[in-house]
Amino acid sequence: MKTTTPAEQGMQENKATARDTRTAVLKRSIRANVPLRKTFVQAPKGVVSRHGPLKEFVTGRDLRGLKAYLMIVAACSNGDSGWSTTHDSAVWARMMDIEQTATEQSARTGAWRTLRRLEQRRLITCHRTGTKITVTLLREDGSGQPYDRPSGKTEEDRFLQIPATFWTKGYDELLDLPALALLLAVAREKNWSAFPAEKAREWYGWSADTHERGLKKLLALGLVERRDHYKKAPLAPMGVTLTYQYQRTAVVRPRKARKQATQPTATPATKSAANSSRAGGAQ
């Protein structure tokens, strides 16, 4: 029977977790909210197909790849390193929760294969140097074009925001693939929008069943809220039909930037006035 030495026990107790690693990545990127172009979820109106790159993750059942991609956007989108980030392959594996169920070498290999899938979808580029892997963002629409920070000035450049607390508080760990896809779909739209399951295939490229399961999971976790909405229906028996509208709850909405309290800069004139005031009060 193998025994654990005090040193080994101490190492295990203090070893960084996957969430620790994701939190460190987010702190280094210095972002309260992570921007993601809406074209990742759904193409703008007027194009032949409304499906965005998100469809391939859902139909390919690639939850690991989707979570990894969102973390890469979070890590790279501040632009401090030219839209790139570099980590040891073991760190990438821990960030993706692979090391929990694999040997060290298998986890490293799994991380590289996950990143290569994202590269094949033209969302990133990646290359290895020894055990280091550098990843560079490409545009979120899967066009393979270089990444730039979205400004929101055009339809193709509009973006949704994911709060950093989505990862740091572990909400990402609660979601399966349908729920994560639907959370992004809800985040893409205005508050209190409708998401009819019968439109799922046309709008997003996944099944009505996947759509409904995703919304149900989000409601159960308290990450979205729903309200009744009645639409006029002249040919319906009651003259109206009941639909549902959804929005994100506060815990997964973008965080407002804290306003910095600013002190007025002292000028010679204000200093003179202050000195005169103090002198007058002393008389």
Side-chain angles (χ1 to χ4, degrees):
M1 181 177 178
K2 184 179 179 180
T3 59
T4 303
T5 67
E8 290 173 333
Q9 184 176 353
M11 183 186 73
Q12 290 300 321
E13 290 175 350
N14 291 286
K15 187 176 181 180
T17 65
R19 192 189 301 182
D20 292 333
T21 304
R22 291 189 286 267
T23 298
V25 167
L26 289 162
K27 285 184 176 178
R28 193 169 73 169
S29 68
I30 318 175
R31 277 195 170 278
N33 301 297
V34 176
L36 178 71
R37 278 184 175 84
K38 293 183 176 183
T39 50
F40 175 71
V41 180
Q42 186 183 53
K45 293 180 180 179
V47 299
V48 176
S49 172
R50 297 296 308 279
H51 305 164
L54 177 58
K55 170 198 170 182
E56 300 302 323
F57 291 91
V58 177
T59 58
R61 299 181 180 180
D62 190 7
L63 178 60
R64 177 182 293 169
L66 178 55
K67 287 186 173 182
Y69 175 65
L70 295 178
M71 271 305 304
I72 290 168
V73 176
C76 300
S77 59
N78 68 354
D80 287 348
S81 301
W83 318 121
S84 299
T85 189
T86 301
H87 297 290
D88 188 272
S89 59
V91 176
W92 283 109
R94 186 165 60 250
M95 196 187 308
M96 299 179 197
D97 289 299
I98 302 176
E99 66 164 12
Q100 295 181 1
T101 56
T103 64
E104 179 183 344
Q105 187 54 50
S106 294
R108 289 176 181 272
T109 301
W112 174 247
R113 287 176 177 171
T114 300
L115 295 173
R116 287 285 291 132
R117 289 201 302 275
L118 300 181
E119 186 173 52
Q120 289 163 6
R121 290 170 181 155
R122 301 195 297 177
L123 294 169
I124 65 168
T125 61
C126 58
H127 69 270
R128 289 188 292 190
T129 304
T131 63
K132 298 284 188 179
I133 302 177
T134 298
V135 170
T136 302
L137 273 182
L138 297 176
R139 200 172 176 91
E140 299 98 319
D141 59 7
S143 64
Q145 295 298 311
Y147 181 85
D148 59 348
R149 185 180 287 112
S151 65
K153 293 181 179 179
T154 65
E155 184 69 23
E156 292 77 10
D157 210 34
R158 290 178 180 168
F159 59 95
L160 60 91
Q161 295 187 87
I162 307 170
T165 51
F166 173 69
W167 292 278
T168 59
K169 293 190 175 181
Y171 296 119
D172 62 310
E173 300 165 22
L174 304 176
L175 300 184
D176 56 15
L177 186 54
L180 182 52
L182 265 294
L183 182 64
L184 294 174
V186 173
R188 186 190 184 281
E189 306 300 333
K190 296 178 181 179
N191 289 340
W192 298 124
S193 292
F195 296 89
E198 63 270 18
K199 290 290 187 179
R201 184 79 64 184
E202 176 187 349
W203 288 357
Y204 305 106
W206 53 70
S207 70
D209 178 66
T210 294
H211 198 80
E212 290 177 336
R213 285 191 290 118
L215 288 173
K216 184 177 180 180
K217 180 83 168 182
L218 293 174
L219 286 168
L221 292 172
L223 300 183
V224 302
E225 52 190 334
R226 183 179 71 184
R227 73 179 184 185
D228 296 348
H229 178 69
Y230 290 93
K231 294 177 63 176
K232 183 184 293 186
L235 300 181
M238 299 295 293
V240 294
T241 57
L242 172 62
T243 61
Y244 296 112
Q245 295 177 329
Y246 300 84
Q247 70 172 8
R248 283 183 285 178
T249 56
V251 294
V252 284
R253 288 179 196 155
R255 295 294 181 264
K256 293 182 179 179
R258 293 181 179 178
K259 293 182 179 180
Q260 298 290 331
T262 56
Q263 296 294 333
T265 304
T267 64
T270 58
K271 288 181 179 179
S272 177
N275 291 335
S276 297
S277 175
R278 283 196 294 270
Q283 291 178 355

